[in-house]
Amino acid sequence: REEEEETKKEAVELVKRGLMMDMRSHVCWHVYGLLHRSSQNYAEAIKAYKQALRIDEENLQILRDMSLLQIQMRDLIGFKETRLRILTLRPNSKVHWLSYALSVHVNGDPDAAVGILDSYFGTLEEGCVEFEKNFESSELALYKNQLLSETKGEDEDGLGGVRKALEHLDEIEKVIVDHTGWLKAKLSYQLQLGNFEDAKDTAMKLFERGLTEEHRVHGAYMCALLKCDRETCLEVEKMKGTGTLATLRPFSEEERSILLDAYGSKDGLSKLYPRSNGIKRIYITILPTNSDEFKSAIDKYCQKQITKG
């Protein structure tokens, strides 16, 4: 540790000597900024980077280093300005287009970020790899879809962006690799728009893909069954762990009856997926706690878990 500190001090002294000999050296200022960053003195590091850029305005390495530090420091406006400078210098690079779109997005302007991605797609030739089915194309298409869902659109209810995003999902399906993520996005949009029958079908497709243990999908499925309002659907979507609508609020008798039929009837999820522990737990949370059925179900569940060890 002491040896490392000595090395850092020596490096700082050497950089200062370099600056004394040539204050107009962008290399010295860049290295000075790197040393400040390694010492976690981020404000001074950015000052040094800016000084280096006054001398060499088009140095991509310095601009990249400064943009990384700006996003780390949550200087979002500065991050956006730096990424725009980089894109202006190298407009033929995919990374710079996407980084600028991201910088605009984190500054709270998803509409402009969508426009930047569209401009990037406009620079591509037909039949290029970006329009084929692969992981990069898939993730980029899903990112654009997320941006669309965050836009307001022109509809009076403020859900125009969600409608566009739902339509966009069908357009990009041919390039999607992460089909589970695609279905999750579709389920979220359908619930927000009140398309509950479609949402139930989408949730069932997710169960068929093996997501019977994912409680967020069960929470969304319950929202579709009970036709919950958009705010409740979004709240359930954000729940973590084993939280579902059943743990969020109490049910009326009618709601409980609908859910028990969906989970416990002869055509319910318990029969379709008899080995799913998640479905068994959720079924228990739906049952009224003062009923004999609840006591029997929880006794059976606990005994099996204790036996398994």
Side-chain angles (χ1 to χ4, degrees), residues 60-186:
L60 277 177
Q61 186 58 55
I62 300 172
L63 285 166
R64 276 196 294 262
D65 286 342
M66 187 164 77
S67 72
L68 288 171
L69 198 51
Q70 285 170 326
I71 192 63
Q72 185 178 337
M73 294 290 291
R74 300 298 186 269
D75 177 12
L76 302 181
I77 294 174
F79 176 60
K80 183 176 78 168
E81 291 170 351
T82 304
R83 291 314 313 189
L84 177 58
R85 287 173 70 181
I86 293 172
L87 177 60
T88 305
L89 290 170
R90 293 290 184 277
N92 58 342
S93 172
K94 172 184 177 180
V95 173
H96 300 332
W97 279 98
L98 301 190
S99 297
Y100 182 51
L102 176 65
S103 71
V104 171
H105 182 202
V106 296
N107 272 279
D109 194 351
D111 291 277
V114 170
I116 293 162
L117 290 182
D118 286 339
S119 296
Y120 166 67
F121 288 129
T123 65
L124 304 175
E125 294 180 2
E126 214 172 303
C128 77
V129 70
E130 297 294 344
F131 300 120
E132 296 176 2
K133 187 173 183 176
N134 56 64
F135 285 104
E136 283 194 20
S137 300
S138 174
E139 291 303 303
L140 181 54
L142 287 173
Y143 177 55
K144 181 183 175 181
N145 184 261
Q146 179 192 334
L147 290 173
L148 283 170
S149 72
E150 294 177 16
T151 60
K152 296 298 181 185
E154 299 176 357
D155 297 8
E156 291 182 5
D157 58 3
L159 294 175
V162 178
R163 290 188 180 90
K164 282 183 184 177
L166 184 58
E167 293 171 5
H168 181 249
L169 282 176
D170 293 328
E171 296 172 15
I172 64 175
E173 186 177 9
K174 62 181 180 296
V175 301
I176 297 299
V177 175
D178 179 14
H179 204 67
T180 297
W182 183 86
L183 283 169
K184 284 181 178 179
K186 191 173 188 178

Side-chain angles (χ1 to χ4, degrees), residues 229-282:
D229 58 75
R230 180 170 181 261
E231 288 69 26
T232 303
C233 293
L234 290 173
E235 193 171 352
V236 169
E237 191 177 311
K238 293 174 185 175
M239 295 182 78
K240 297 179 180 178
T242 57
T244 63
L245 187 62
T247 57
L248 181 66
R249 64 172 177 82
F251 295 127
S252 66
E253 287 303 315
E254 183 183 355
E255 289 175 333
R256 195 185 304 278
S257 175
I258 292 170
L259 292 177
L260 288 174
D261 184 60
Y263 276 85
S265 69
K266 63 180 181 180
D267 298 323
L269 292 178
S270 297
K271 302 298 180 186
L272 290 172
Y273 306 100
R275 301 181 66 182
S276 169
N277 285 321
I279 290 173
K280 290 171 185 173
R281 285 196 301 271
I282 289 168

